[in-house]
Amino acid sequence: MGERHGTVVIGAGPAGLTAAYELLRRGEPVRVFEADEVVGGISRTVERDGWRFDIGGHRFFTKVRRVEAFWREILPAEDFLLRPRMSRIFYRGALYRYPLSAGNALRNLGVWETARCLGSYARARLRPPRDQSHFEGWVSARFGWRLYSMFFKTYTEKVWGMPADQLRADWAAQRIKNLSLATAVRNALLPRRHRTGVTSLIEEFRYPKYGPGMMWERCADEVRARGGQLDTGTWVTTVHRDPARRRAVAVTVNGVSGERSVPADHVISSMPLPELVDALRPVAPPEVRECAADLRHRDFLTVALVLPAAFSFPDNWIYIHDPAVRVGRIQNFGSWSPYLVKDGRTCLGLEYFVFEGDDMWRRTDDDLVSMATAELERLGLARPGAVEAGYVVRMPKAYPVYDERYQHNVDVVRRWLAREVPNVHPVGRNGMHRYNNQDHSMLTAMLTVENIVDGTAHDVWSVNMEQDYHEQSRPAQSGHGTGRDAPIMPSRTIRGTTGARDGARATEPPAQAPLV
């Protein structure tokens, strides 16, 4: 029997660190290489001048009991807070409860506008849009044009950077499921025990008191304490394979100690799938490289603004349905945890959905802080001069894009990898180009470790494919949660570049069209 080299894990986000921890639990040697200087991927907590920022918002709830057990094993109960969930829609200067409260909506819209919305809905029921293959037609058929334009159109277009009539309806049909205006109103008016047809949102969730990065920083410490090697600021530049043996044999890494080769029995990769294919040597066939290069991402930046606590609000975030501003969502970090902010102050995170390299991405931090400040004031959420400081956090490759060719592209790549380099195991959100939440990204890593160590044959690619995409109304500690999917987009509309870094792994996605 030849010398054992153990497993190389590429990326120290939730999937990569889960894989490393599970391997070490089984007594398997592991080396983890993370291109960034910090662990956690998009599930990190960014700290600037004593302020802490959650990139995208991470609620800790899950249907997967082994993920729940993992979280509890890494962080003791006293490090978790039980937080109320609240999010609302900001439209024309008013805040609408989410999901719909009939009384709240009536007060905000007024009797005349409510009547117009009901008339629009009646027209849609009598004469539905002919083309319901796209997001706009599908949603307006179920809510009417007026409600669609108020509560779906603007935010969705901000998130994906394209007109809603170019988004495929597949996503809406799965995310919104049986919901229509009639069901929404019925569920809003009936007592909770009589509501049927559509699941509601969780009402509370657990959250690490210092943010989600606390989980992954602690996990990284455990990996090192158990004998694993974890290098940050270290890029995997090449994955060497032996075509005759049909397996990867080593990786080349480049970090503070220079370039070196590291042998490997297995490679678990959470780096973006296009970058994994690009790193393989000998190179993959042209068709595989072309399919990998055609996979795209939506990128993300947060402008965090410090204000007096008087400008706080109880929501975890609010969706901004105002086309006059570019901000799509505003986090209130103090509503996630008081440990993220300072006494007498709060910090609001204005979120912008962008393409890496576009005009927003290229702006200086000072320009972005000035723009975000002006937008917050224009929305009436802060008075002029109230903002005391601002910080910018850029996150490339935050959200895999589901264009009309993505599934074919992923299928071509995964089939070739399985056939030619079966000891290379893609996991996690970017590793699989799969719109997974944190818990499902972790599960792909857990199952992969079982395949490696126990010789099982779990289909890791089936994780999150057949699961409920709505959040169930059960307490967070019950271990109940959700998956996510993303809209199908025509590929010709996607702009931007793919970049070249180990992307973020798992987060609470923004692509939830707020439901009235």
Side-chain angles (χ1 to χ4, degrees), residues 165-490:
D165 62 2
Q166 295 179 20
L167 293 172
R168 291 277 301 278
D170 308 53
W171 175 66
Q174 190 165 20
R175 289 290 294 114
I176 302 174
K177 289 194 173 178
N178 300 322
L179 187 60
S180 66
L181 180 60
T183 358
V185 171
R186 182 170 64 250
N187 285 340
L189 295 175
L190 288 174
R192 185 179 304 274
R193 64 183 179 276
H194 296 307
R195 298 177 185 180
T196 59
V198 181
T199 54
S200 60
L201 296 174
I202 60 166
E203 296 171 353
E204 59 184 10
F205 58 91
R206 290 185 304 117
Y207 188 76
K209 64 182 182 181
Y210 291 113
M214 185 181 187
M215 172 70 68
W216 302 112
E217 291 159 13
R218 190 75 56 83
C219 187
D221 292 341
E222 284 294 319
V223 165
R224 291 186 173 111
R226 291 170 180 249
Q229 176 182 315
L230 197 165
D231 295 343
T232 57
T234 304
W235 297 68
V236 172
T237 58
T238 310
V239 178
H240 303 276
R241 65 187 183 93
D242 181 346
R245 296 167 57 204
R246 292 193 172 185
R247 61 187 294 106
V249 295
V251 301
T252 297
V253 300
N254 197 343
V256 292
S257 59
E259 190 172 272
R260 67 188 190 277
S261 181
V262 179
D265 296 319
H266 290 270
V267 175
I268 296 178
S269 173
S270 66
M271 73 194 296
L273 193 56
E275 295 180 14
L276 171 63
V277 172
D278 190 53
L280 287 165
R281 295 294 183 274
V283 298
E287 180 192 9
V288 175
R289 298 200 308 273
E290 289 167 8
C291 287
D294 197 36
L295 295 170
R296 293 173 171 84
H297 298 78
R298 186 72 160 148
D299 308 294
F300 184 74
L301 63 86
T302 298
V303 182
L305 302 179
V306 175
L307 301 97
F311 296 98
S312 184
F313 44 78
D315 310 69
N316 308 117
W317 60 55
I318 56 176
Y319 299 97
I320 305 301
H321 286 242
D322 186 337
V325 293
R326 297 184 69 166
V327 62
R329 194 171 64 180
I330 302 178
Q331 302 270 356
N332 182 16
F333 295 120
S335 291
W336 289 90
S337 168
Y339 294 92
L340 301 184
V341 298
K342 301 179 183 180
D343 289 344
R345 298 290 181 272
T346 194
C347 188
L348 304 182
L350 281 72
E351 297 179 343
Y352 297 88
F353 308 105
V354 300
F355 289 110
E356 187 175 359
D358 68 12
D359 66 308
M360 286 285 288
W361 189 267
R362 295 194 307 270
R363 286 194 183 193
T364 67
D365 287 4
D366 288 344
D367 284 347
L368 287 169
V369 169
S370 296
M371 182 196 73
T373 300
E375 291 198 342
L376 195 65
E377 294 170 356
R378 185 180 309 156
L379 293 168
L381 297 176
R383 68 167 181 266
V387 172
E388 299 173 358
Y391 307 90
V392 176
V393 181
R394 292 173 174 81
M395 185 57 63
K397 295 181 177 59
Y399 310 111
V401 165
Y402 281 24
D403 63 33
E404 60 191 2
R405 294 194 303 269
Y406 98 95
Q407 190 61 65
H408 167 76
N409 292 334
V410 169
D411 287 345
V412 168
V413 171
R414 68 180 270 203
R415 283 196 298 264
W416 183 83
L417 287 172
R419 184 176 66 250
E420 299 298 327
V421 275
N423 66 331
V424 171
H425 312 273
V427 296
R429 172 178 285 198
N430 279 345
M432 303 172 73
H433 204 81
R434 173 69 56 76
Y435 205 89
N436 279 338
N437 265 3
Q438 181 173 224
D439 56 342
H440 292 103
S441 292
M442 294 170 63
L443 183 57
T444 64
M446 292 174 173
L447 297 179
T448 294
V449 169
E450 290 182 1
N451 287 347
I452 291 172
V453 179
D454 300 332
T456 53
H458 297 301
D459 180 7
V460 175
W461 293 88
S462 69
V463 171
N464 201 19
M465 289 298 290
E466 301 298 333
Q467 302 194 29
D468 185 359
Y469 288 93
H470 290 261
E471 298 170 20
Q472 301 279 347
S473 182
R474 286 176 59 183
Q477 62 266 41
S478 68
H480 206 83
T482 185
R484 286 292 187 273
D485 205 353
I488 306 294
M489 305 178 183

Side-chain angles (χ1 to χ4, degrees), residues 74-86:
I74 297 298
L75 281 185
E78 59 267 24
D79 284 335
F80 281 104
L81 305 176
L82 189 60
R83 305 299 294 166
R85 160 150 186 171
M86 183 176 182

